[in-house]
Amino acid sequence: PRGVKHIKEEIKTVEQDESGIKSLNNKHTADLFIDCTGFKSLLLGETLREPFISFNDMLPNNSAWATKIPYENKREQLKPYTNCTAYNNGWIWNIPLWSRIGTGYVYSDKFVDDETALKEFKDYLGREDLEFKKTKMRVGIHKRLWVKNVVAIGLSAGFIEPLESNGLYTVHEFLTFLVRNMGREKISQFDKDNFTYA
């Protein structure tokens, strides 16, 4: 009703010009592109080559194993909070969702290898029958988050650490700031530069 068109398509090519991104797959054009491609940062990082400032020296946790646990007794297991537990080489989250329990083990691969971390996580859960997915976290932020006609929001912009759910907070804040800027008659370079520090 509001003119939004959802296109589900793999991005195979990104075309550029002097204003930034010209088109995606040689057919999708826009005045502004919002990069929400996760840690890959396809538009801002890979295409426009905006430098990434790593925080690894201060925040060593850069990896996680995650899994989904089906409820055995939803009435008892569905809690209205996230539980975080310190463990051997990091910490474990436990998030009861409506359909399942999401859980994962955050750690630094500088201090423990992936297979040892997975074994520790399985030992903690007391289960081997689940499907486990490894995630490598890119800890830090791009030097600028609005470059030419590309704005990065979410993991494509940066990431600190999942303990405080800063990812959710920054998505909300950057979207709010972007909407405020879009309400202006004209967006200046000052607005773009300040977006990073919103």
Side-chain angles (χ1 to χ4, degrees):
R2 296 189 179 187
V4 174
K5 185 177 181 183
H6 182 219
I7 303 167
K8 194 170 183 180
E9 183 177 325
E10 181 183 351
I11 303 302
K12 294 182 179 176
T13 63
V14 180
E15 296 73 42
Q16 299 181 65
D17 62 15
E18 64 282 349
S19 65
I21 305 297
K22 180 181 178 183
S23 62
L24 303 177
N25 289 344
N26 271 311
K27 60 182 174 181
H28 304 296
T29 61
D31 295 326
L32 180 71
F33 290 86
I34 300 175
D35 187 344
C36 50
T37 59
F39 287 127
K40 186 173 186 173
S41 191
L42 177 64
L43 303 182
L44 185 72
E46 285 190 22
T47 303
L48 296 184
R49 302 280 183 210
E50 182 62 20
F52 186 78
I53 302 165
S54 175
F55 295 162
N56 282 338
D57 57 331
M58 297 177 285
L59 299 167
N61 283 346
N62 63 359
S63 302
W65 281 106
T67 191
K68 303 170 185 174
I69 302 174
Y71 283 112
E72 292 175 7
N73 185 331
K74 190 173 186 178
R75 185 175 292 277
E76 289 182 12
Q77 292 176 289
L78 181 59
K79 307 285 184 191
Y81 55 84
T82 296
N83 187 45
C84 298
T85 304
Y87 208 57
N88 298 343
N89 287 292
W91 60 275
I92 294 171
W93 79 78
N94 190 72
I95 305 173
L97 304 170
W98 186 252
S99 60
R100 62 176 168 79
I101 299 170
T103 184
Y105 184 22
V106 179
Y107 60 96
S108 171
D109 64 10
K110 294 177 187 175
F111 301 105
V112 63
D113 63 85
D114 295 333
E115 292 312 308
T116 302
L118 179 58
K119 183 181 183 317
E120 289 179 349
F121 188 32
K122 288 179 177 179
D123 290 346
Y124 172 85
L125 295 174
R127 299 185 68 163
E128 296 268 344
D129 62 324
L130 303 167
E131 186 177 319
F132 294 87
K133 179 182 176 186
K134 182 175 182 308
T135 300
K136 181 79 173 162
M137 297 180 290
R138 188 181 66 143
V139 181
I141 191 168
H142 281 282
K143 187 175 180 182
R144 296 176 298 165
L145 301 183
W146 192 333
V147 178
K148 298 185 177 182
N149 66 344
V150 174
V151 176
I153 292 180
L155 297 177
S156 60
F159 183 70
I160 300 176
E161 217 270 2
L163 186 59
E164 296 291 333
S165 293
N166 67 77
L168 295 174
Y169 174 75
T170 56
V171 166
H172 176 269
E173 289 302 296
F174 285 138
L175 280 173
T176 301
F177 196 58
L178 177 61
V179 168
R180 226 178 7 237
N181 275 307
M182 298 303 288
R184 298 175 192 255
E185 191 171 313
K186 184 175 180 188
I187 296 171
S188 68
Q189 187 60 47
F190 178 80
D191 297 321
K192 292 179 180 182
D193 293 342
N194 277 330
F195 185 82
T196 304
Y197 309 104

